[in-house]
Amino acid sequence: MTLPPQTLQATPTPPSAPLYLVDASLYVFRAWHSMPDEFRDAEGWPTNAVHGFARFLAELVERTNPRYIAIAFDEALDSCFRNRIYPAYKANRPPAPDELRRQFAQCKALCRALGFVVLADTEYEADDLIGSALVAGRARAHHGVIVSADKDLSQLLEGADEQWDYARGVRWTAAGVRDRHGVEAHQMADYLALCGDTVDNIPGVPGIGCKTAASLLHHFRTLDALLERSDEIQFLRFRGAGQVGPKLRQHADAARLYRQLTTIACDAPLGEGTTGFARRSGDAAALHALCEALRFGPLTRRRLHSVAGLDYAPPAMA
């Protein structure tokens, strides 16, 4: 008896697990500027930033219950590799006061006590750590959810990856980058090199604004192709096209340098994230000590213990 040929059923690809990658500095700074200056730790130092950041972390976990999460901090504020190749990089930013630096350390300690992987490095910025973690996560069947409003990070998006402006409640994928900026996600570094980024003190090419940069990249696709074929720009139909080619040729080396600055490095050392990004069990002793030192109230303590998966017993009344 001849058996009918079997029909092979395609095995569906299981959905990848989201890896939440949090741009900590953004939310620490936001809390520093928005929370009232009325909180003090046991030594009398301000703690408004760490109070606000703790509330943000608790709300994020309560909303998403992430299995995989990493919190990236900026320790390379003046020691990043970008400062070596361009000393003016971020030189427009005043140094963080001691009161804020102290709170950054407390925020980092809080993340570890809650069982989160913490990413920090003196050579690489938080953006680089997020990019490197995302690449490592993809190899472990994750897609990224980048929790940040920073437009620089949009260059990392591909496939199922998302960026989440948490404060505004807005999410977008790689396709959404085109809607927001007029360029593809993979063109963002070239785009910022052309039009500049005032936040990071990158001037861009003189005379090229956001719309012109987007138009040029729509036509030429890459900065390299644009520089190689700059004599063709004069034939494009936008105002001032005849002046753009000479400016690009004059500032070609600067544009290439700016692209080095705007390109996120995806080979940064991941430290404790090297073995993965799964949430660990919270450290009860460390969390208790922090709650005491930071003088957290009972509601905040209860929320943080819940986030850490720890039981909370309020102190007995005298």
Side-chain angles (χ1 to χ4, degrees), residues 36-271:
D37 187 17
E38 61 184 30
F39 303 98
R40 292 290 185 274
D41 65 16
E43 298 179 27
W45 288 80
T47 56
N48 58 327
V50 68
H51 271 260
F53 185 65
R55 294 180 187 181
F56 156 73
L57 286 178
E59 183 178 294
L60 176 67
V61 172
E62 289 163 359
R63 290 181 63 179
T64 63
N65 190 27
R67 291 176 57 198
Y68 305 95
I69 185 170
I71 318 292
F73 285 85
D74 269 323
E75 284 192 348
L77 295 178
D78 52 12
S79 59
C80 176
F81 71 91
R82 293 179 179 86
N83 294 100
R84 292 196 297 273
I85 62 176
Y86 186 65
Y89 181 69
K90 293 188 176 180
N92 55 332
R93 300 189 189 186
D98 291 341
E99 294 87 345
L100 181 55
R101 287 181 179 271
R102 179 183 176 91
Q103 291 190 72
F104 265 107
Q106 291 166 332
C107 289
K108 198 181 303 178
L110 177 62
C111 288
R112 289 195 170 104
L114 293 174
F116 302 148
V117 171
V118 170
L119 306 176
D121 192 88
T122 57
E123 290 279 321
Y124 293 90
E125 297 179 84
D127 288 4
D128 304 312
L129 298 168
I130 287 173
S132 301
L134 180 56
V135 170
R138 287 174 183 146
R140 297 184 175 98
H142 296 304
H143 70 271
V145 180
I146 301 172
V147 185
S148 176
D150 189 345
K151 62 182 179 297
D152 299 14
L153 288 162
S154 290
Q155 68 186 266
L156 299 171
L157 300 177
E158 60 180 57
D161 297 332
E162 290 183 291
Q163 188 168 347
W164 185 7
D165 182 345
Y166 187 85
R168 293 183 173 87
V170 178
R171 295 183 186 231
W172 60 92
T173 61
V177 178
R178 182 172 59 252
D179 297 334
R180 296 170 71 86
H181 301 289
V183 295
E184 304 295 334
H186 63 83
Q187 294 175 310
M188 278 298 294
D190 288 359
Y191 169 78
L192 293 170
L194 286 168
C195 64
D197 188 350
T198 56
V199 174
D200 291 340
N201 205 36
I202 300 172
V205 177
I208 295 184
C210 297
K211 289 185 178 180
T212 300
S215 296
L216 292 170
L217 290 172
H218 176 75
H219 184 82
F220 293 97
R221 309 305 298 168
T222 69
L223 176 63
D224 289 329
L226 172 61
L227 294 175
E228 290 172 4
R229 299 162 54 195
S230 61
D231 57 324
E232 299 176 25
I233 298 173
Q234 60 184 314
F235 302 112
L236 299 182
R237 293 184 177 180
F238 64 85
R239 182 176 297 179
Q243 303 170 5
V244 172
K247 287 181 180 178
L248 269 172
R249 287 189 286 274
Q250 180 183 354
H251 298 278
D253 289 341
R256 294 186 182 96
L257 171 62
Y258 300 153
R259 184 175 55 185
Q260 285 185 268
L261 304 176
T262 59
T263 299
I264 292 176
C266 291
D267 57 353
L270 292 176

